[in-house]
């Protein structure tokens, strides 16, 4: 119920604060706490955690690749794993890898918060704050399209399996090769679809008139004001603390 | 024993929406061409996705040769049952037309010469040869549809499920598709066609299943030859 009542702008501020912290924090412990806090927030907004799992699943492979790449290619620190005289994983790499993965998880979790408002409300909220309509629209389209890209990816994975490719039991080397093969066509396909969207928008009069009218006017209530003021302050405090403490 | 059997299937999409399918019973034989018809939104596409195990029924079970489809992986099912999606764009994911057709084969450690030959044949048959190096999503709608069908046929599955295969095809291409499907059927492979194209259905199918509001309204396979079915 809390999630339903909050103004989309308050949610944007919260998400902005969380992602700022995710960039500033650089120890796995702080990042882990931040992730736990973000998930707590999602629970508070009554978002089904099982659904969050579903959201994350398609990104798992990407996260794993990033993690391994960071582990292996970051020099420095103690050697934790070696093959003969060749060092594979150092302590610095492990720390960095963990941080990168946690950071991405935080960003994705925070973005889920935004899916609880519809995109119309985002636009009118931002426009009331004098953000140019075109920019507000782009922000909301991005938010609206993230789940679509995810669906697109899930679709492609289903289609690949239906052509007889075993994804679960295949070796990592083969998985990587497949991933490389699919990456470009999928991204390019997404761009093509975005282009079609922009043509459809112009055909329906996007940017044809300088003035726009809005059906719904959003109003900030006291909870929104509280959040919008307190979140940045808390964030600044936390950043300050991490600099002083770290 | 039926090749594919659906028992008391109920299904609704998550989010507390109304039931899309209720109490669907169907037995499909390994051979013969069945058509599923019905108005928009009556659950035809949903039914085919349940047959393949892409969607899991809310209750009831789907059996492939007597074993639950949940016991197979998607890839195992895909190797046996070829599925053409209603929206061809959803199943094109390669960089070129030729690669798209050869994709399934190249993952089955087939002899490269065999792959090349089959790809050439399908490119030629579905008149896609001039586009072999083109990015699949740049094709016209009808060409995408032909490509999606060709890519599925390349795997030579023993059963086919085609969701609206004639949409976007011109009369001449429809003719070619019908001829090819008849040829496939003569080889003893069965198929299910989902279609609004009455002429195509009448000419292809020897069994017509009419779906309405998520229930089987009429099934010609159960009328004349009940003994034959079981
Ligand atoms: N992913 C989904 N989530 C929620 N509801 C869905 C989803 N896909 C389909 N539906 C709903 O389920 C019902 C049946 O859809 P389905 O696609 O199976 O119909 P169809 O018979 O194939 O229609 P058409 O003739 O238009 O292809 C429709 O009312 C549709 O709105
Ligand atoms: Mg359909």
């Amino acid at each position: 119920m809390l999630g339903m009542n909050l103004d989309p702008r308050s949610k944007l501020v919260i998400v902005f604060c969380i992602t700022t912290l995710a960039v500033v924090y650089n120890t796995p412990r702080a990042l882990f706490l931040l992730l736990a806090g973000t998930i707590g927030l999602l629970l508070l907004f009554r978002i089904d955690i099982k659904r969050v799992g579903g959201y994350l699943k398609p990104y798992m492979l990407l996260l794993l690749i990033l993690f391994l790449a960071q582990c292996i290619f970051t020099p420095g620190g103690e050697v934790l794993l070696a093959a003969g005289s060749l060092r594979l994983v150092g302590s610095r790499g492990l720390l960095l890898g963990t941080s990168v993965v946690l950071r991405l998880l935080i960003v994705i979790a925070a973005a889920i918060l935004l899916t609880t408002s519809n995109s119309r409300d985002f636009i009118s909220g931002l426009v009331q704050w004098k953000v140019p309509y075109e920019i507000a629209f782009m922000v909301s389209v991005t938010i609206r399209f993230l789940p679509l890209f995810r669906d697109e990816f899930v679709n492609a994975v289903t289609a690949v399996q239906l052509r007889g490719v075993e994804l679960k039991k295949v070796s990592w080397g083969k998985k990587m090769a497949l991933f490389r093969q699919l990456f470009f066509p999928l991204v390019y396909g997404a761009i093509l679809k975005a282009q079609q969207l922009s043509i459809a928008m112009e055909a329906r009069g996007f940017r044809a008139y300088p003035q726009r009218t809005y059906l719904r006017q959003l109003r900030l209530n006291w909870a929104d004001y509280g959040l919008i003021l307190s979140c940045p302050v808390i964030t600044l405090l936390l950043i300050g603390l991490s600099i002083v403490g770290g | 024993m039926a090749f594919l059997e659906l028992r008391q299937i109920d299904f609704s999409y998550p989010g507390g929406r109304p039931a899309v399918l209720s109490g669907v019973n169907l037995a499909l034989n390994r051979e013969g061409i069945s058509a599923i018809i019905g108005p928009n939104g009556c659950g035809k596409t949903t039914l085919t996705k349940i047959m393949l195990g892409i969607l899991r029924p809310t209750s009831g079970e789907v059996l492939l040769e007597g074993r639950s489809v949940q016991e197979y992986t998607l890839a195992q099912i895909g190797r046996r049952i070829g599925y053409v999606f209603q929206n061809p764009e959803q199943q094109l994911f390669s960089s070129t037309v030729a690669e798209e057709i050869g994709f399934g084969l190249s993952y089955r450690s087939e002899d490269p010469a065999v792959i090349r030959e089959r790809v050439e044949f399908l490119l030629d048959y579905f008149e896609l040869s001039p586009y072999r190096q083109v990015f699949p999503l740049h094709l016209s709608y009808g060409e995408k549809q032909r490509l999606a069908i060709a890519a599925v046929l390349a795997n030579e599955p023993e059963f086919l499920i085609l969701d609206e295969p004639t949409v976007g095809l011109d009369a001449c291409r429809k003719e070619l598709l019908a001829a090819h499907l008849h040829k496939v059927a003569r080889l003893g492979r069965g198929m299910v066609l989902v279609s609004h194209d009455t002429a195509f259905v009448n000419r292809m199918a020897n069994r017509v299943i009419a779906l309405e509001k998520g229930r089987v309204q009429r099934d010609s396979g159960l009328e004349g030859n009940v003994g034959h079915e079981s």
Side-chain angles (χ1 to χ4, degrees):
Chain A
M1 61 174 213
L2 183 57
M4 298 304 123
N5 290 339
L6 271 189
D7 191 280
R9 284 167 290 184
S10 311
K11 292 181 194 166
L12 270 181
V13 170
I14 296 176
V15 171
F16 182 74
C17 289
I18 292 176
T19 39
T20 307
L21 280 175
V23 173
V24 171
Y25 281 169
N26 52 14
T27 64
R29 203 175 67 100
L31 286 167
F32 186 78
L33 288 176
L34 185 60
L35 180 62
T38 310
I39 290 176
L41 204 63
L42 290 181
L43 283 176
L44 206 66
F45 278 74
R46 308 223 159 170
I47 289 170
D48 189 4
I49 284 297
K50 260 194 265 151
R51 224 183 82 206
V52 177
Y55 258 91
L56 288 179
K57 224 170 153 191
Y59 300 109
M60 281 302 165
L61 182 64
L62 191 66
L63 288 179
L64 193 76
I65 294 170
L66 272 174
F67 179 70
L68 290 178
Q70 289 284 346
C71 279
I72 293 168
F73 296 118
T74 311
E78 290 168 50
V79 178
L80 297 177
L81 188 71
S85 61
L86 182 73
R87 49 165 290 148
L88 283 177
V89 178
S91 57
R92 229 172 75 81
L94 188 65
L95 278 182
L96 260 177
T98 316
S99 303
V100 165
V101 168
L102 283 171
R103 244 178 225 140
L104 277 174
L105 285 175
I106 292 167
V107 170
I108 295 168
I112 293 173
L113 203 61
L114 297 180
T115 61
T116 52
S117 291
N118 77 39
S119 53
R120 283 275 121 224
D121 284 350
F122 271 109
I123 300 184
S124 52
L126 287 173
V127 169
Q128 281 177 34
W129 272 1
K130 304 277 180 286
V131 174
Y133 177 75
E134 286 79 2
I135 291 176
F137 187 81
M138 278 193 284
V139 170
S140 83
V141 162
T142 315
I143 294 165
R144 167 89 175 59
F145 267 67
L146 279 178
L148 279 187
F149 283 147
R150 193 185 59 103
D151 289 348
E152 193 93 335
F153 188 71
V154 171
N155 257 331
V157 168
T158 309
V160 167
Q161 283 174 291
L162 280 176
R163 295 273 184 91
V165 179
E166 208 64 78
L167 278 186
K168 303 246 156 71
K169 291 183 217 147
V170 92
S171 71
W172 274 100
K174 274 201 181 143
K175 251 184 222 179
M176 294 292 223
L178 186 68
F179 192 73
R180 262 211 320 273
Q181 193 181 350
L182 295 184
F183 186 76
F184 170 74
L186 282 184
V187 170
Y188 188 52
I191 293 172
L192 273 184
K193 276 163 208 168
Q195 263 176 5
Q196 282 162 9
L197 174 79
S198 78
I199 293 170
M201 274 162 42
E202 296 202 356
R204 290 207 230 150
F206 184 66
R207 293 187 59 166
Y209 309 100
Q211 281 294 321
R212 284 186 59 89
T213 40
Y214 296 89
L215 190 59
R216 258 157 68 76
Q217 286 288 319
L218 293 171
R219 263 182 225 296
L220 297 172
N221 61 28
W222 59 267
D224 292 310
Y225 280 116
L227 275 169
I228 291 173
L229 292 176
S230 64
C231 275
V233 173
I234 295 174
T235 307
L236 284 177
L237 272 177
L238 286 172
I239 293 175
L241 273 179
S242 81
I243 293 171
V244 174
Chain B
M1 184 174 57
F3 178 66
L4 200 59
E5 190 174 352
L6 282 76
R7 289 194 187 147
Q8 283 304 120
I9 299 293
D10 293 334
F11 182 82
S12 48
Y13 282 99
R17 274 174 248 248
V20 176
L21 297 170
S22 35
V24 174
N25 283 303
L26 265 186
L28 297 164
N29 287 333
R30 186 182 293 278
E31 294 187 20
I33 304 181
S34 309
I36 298 179
I37 58 169
N40 288 143
C42 70
K44 303 180 297 294
T45 299
T46 308
L47 185 64
T48 57
K49 286 188 176 164
I50 287 177
M51 286 178 182
L52 287 146
I54 301 176
L55 293 174
R56 207 187 259 258
T58 322
S59 70
E61 55 179 352
V62 184
L63 303 175
L64 176 58
E65 292 194 319
R67 267 176 66 196
S68 164
V69 284
Q70 302 299 339
E71 289 175 34
Y72 299 83
T73 65
L74 221 48
Q76 283 169 334
I77 294 175
R79 262 176 258 149
R80 308 191 56 183
I81 305 179
Y83 181 50
V84 177
F85 289 54
Q86 179 162 17
N87 179 354
E89 289 187 358
Q90 287 184 350
Q91 60 181 324
L92 303 177
F93 45 75
S94 298
S95 308
T96 68
V97 166
E99 211 180 279
E100 189 77 57
I101 297 180
F103 181 86
L105 294 172
S106 63
Y107 272 83
R108 277 203 226 175
S109 45
E110 289 261 6
D111 179 9
V114 175
I115 299 181
R116 216 170 312 124
E117 193 191 336
R118 210 177 296 165
V119 170
E120 280 312 315
F121 170 77
L122 287 163
L123 279 173
D124 191 46
Y125 192 87
F126 287 96
E127 296 172 69
L128 293 165
S129 300
Y131 313 113
R132 71 179 68 222
Q133 294 307 325
V134 171
F135 183 62
L137 294 182
H138 280 167
L139 296 175
S140 80
Y141 186 87
E143 287 159 356
K144 277 182 215 157
Q145 180 75 331
R146 271 144 55 200
L147 173 59
I149 294 171
V152 166
L153 289 173
N155 289 354
E156 303 200 327
E158 48 193 298
F159 198 85
L160 281 169
I161 298 179
L162 303 115
D163 198 349
E164 304 280 6
T166 59
V167 171
L169 298 193
D170 58 43
C172 156
R173 268 57 179 256
K174 223 186 268 186
E175 201 60 40
L176 278 171
L177 177 65
H180 192 87
L181 292 182
H182 269 308
K183 198 167 88 193
V184 171
R186 271 199 300 281
L187 289 171
R189 305 213 179 109
M191 65 187 80
V192 170
L193 302 171
V194 172
S195 188
H196 291 290
D197 186 337
T198 325
F200 190 73
V201 166
N202 287 341
R203 138 156 207 237
M204 300 293 298
N206 40 36
R207 174 177 175 189
V208 177
I209 298 154
L211 213 61
E212 203 167 311
K213 298 199 183 113
R215 292 175 186 280
V216 176
Q217 206 60 280
R218 200 155 37 75
D219 185 348
S220 72
L222 298 180
E223 284 157 14
N225 44 0
V226 178
H228 191 73
E229 276 296 310
S230 53

